[in-house]
Amino acid sequence: MKNMMKKAVVLALAGTMAMGIFAGCGKSSDTLVMATNATFPPYEYHEGNSIVGIDVEIANAIGEKIGKKIEIEDVEFDSIVAGVQSGKYDFGMAGMTVTDERKKNVNFSDPYTTAVQSVIVPEDSAIASVDDITSDMKIGVQQGTTGDIYASDDYGEDAVTKYKSGPDAVQALLAGKVDLVIIDNQPAKSYVAANEGLKILDTAYAEEEYAIAINKQNDELLKEVNTALSELQADGTIDSIIKKYIKD
Ligand code: ARG
């Protein structure tokens, strides 16, 4: 009995120590874990071995202001909100549109930029404007995005094929598996520039705001992020980061 107790104490201690070690190499107090989905140029995408883009640079600028290092986790877009909600990630930044539905699960920072949805079609497509889109067409989207939500609402779930990423949807379009892709305007431009034979139509969807998703319990981080964002907006940093990537 005595021995068993000892064993239990030793095991408990070992467990606590192991947890300490794991905590030490995971989130430390001077690091913020940012969840993103790096398939979305110019906001976040892979370049060689690193993830770069507007969101990455804005996040790093915020991190500098609040004295934290930013560690990026590249995950599925539609797992970001849940991961922020559960505390797995400190924040989510992924060209993420503020929606009422998402607001039920996370807080959003002040918006840092805007976007609209675009339609990508093959150059020789009979679809000349959004009015030509009908629910018997095949529409490709990135799963869980606003493009997915709008397309499903407007043309019905049956018309919509959900892909893991924008590039996957665009590959399906090139292969003739879908007739069009609905996705945010800037990534749409990048995808079209990177692939031959595609063009872009504008949609009637309203302007969206991109913001940073933060855990509802973490008011302190929300405040810090908003203060940093407003300083970075005021001194022109955000503008120059965006201009570096978007040359219109
Ligand atoms: N703005 C859209 C949304 O919030 C699409 C974002 C996709 N972002 C990404 N990094 N893949 O639903």
Side-chain angles (χ1 to χ4, degrees), residues 68-224:
K68 307 241 165 151
K69 227 184 106 236
I70 307 297
E71 187 184 301
I72 298 178
E73 291 239 15
D74 187 15
V75 301
E76 303 278 308
F77 180 76
D78 69 350
S79 72
I80 296 175
V81 167
V84 169
Q85 191 182 12
S86 74
K88 193 169 173 192
Y89 316 121
D90 293 304
F91 66 96
M93 193 169 185
M96 189 181 284
T97 305
V98 178
T99 70
D100 287 340
E101 197 56 36
R102 290 173 185 161
K103 271 193 196 163
K104 289 181 191 159
N105 302 316
V106 290
N107 280 335
F108 278 104
S109 71
D110 295 329
Y112 58 90
T113 194
T114 58
V116 289
Q117 296 297 308
S118 289
V119 174
I120 310 176
V121 291
E123 253 162 16
D124 60 0
S125 170
I127 304 167
S129 84
V130 274
D131 301 331
D132 298 332
I133 304 173
T134 55
S135 40
D136 57 6
M137 290 178 180
K138 289 196 173 119
I139 304 171
V141 296
Q142 180 180 19
Q143 178 157 325
T145 60
T146 45
D148 179 2
I149 297 159
Y150 299 155
S152 303
D153 281 356
D154 289 356
Y155 305 102
E157 290 276 350
D158 287 349
V160 180
T161 310
K162 299 164 196 255
Y163 295 92
K164 280 198 173 173
S165 71
D168 286 352
V170 169
Q171 286 316 307
L173 180 64
L174 289 166
K177 290 181 187 149
V178 295
D179 302 303
L180 63 138
V181 168
I182 300 182
I183 198 147
D184 306 45
N185 56 332
Q186 291 301 335
K189 282 189 193 166
S190 303
Y191 303 147
V192 167
N195 294 282
E196 254 169 50
L198 301 176
K199 65 178 183 191
I200 295 180
L201 314 172
D202 287 328
T203 65
Y205 296 117
E207 193 165 85
E208 302 176 26
E209 292 184 315
Y210 287 175
I212 301 170
I214 296 172
N215 188 286
K216 278 195 187 276
Q217 252 76 64
N218 202 347
D219 277 330
E220 197 192 328
L221 183 61
L222 182 66
K223 270 196 210 122
E224 287 177 322

Side-chain angles (χ1 to χ4, degrees), residues 2-23:
K2 227 180 167 188
N3 256 337
M4 267 177 69
M5 291 268 289
K6 248 194 202 155
K7 227 183 190 169
V9 169
V10 170
L11 278 175
L13 270 176
T16 315
M17 275 166 63
M19 269 165 67
I21 291 163
F22 283 127

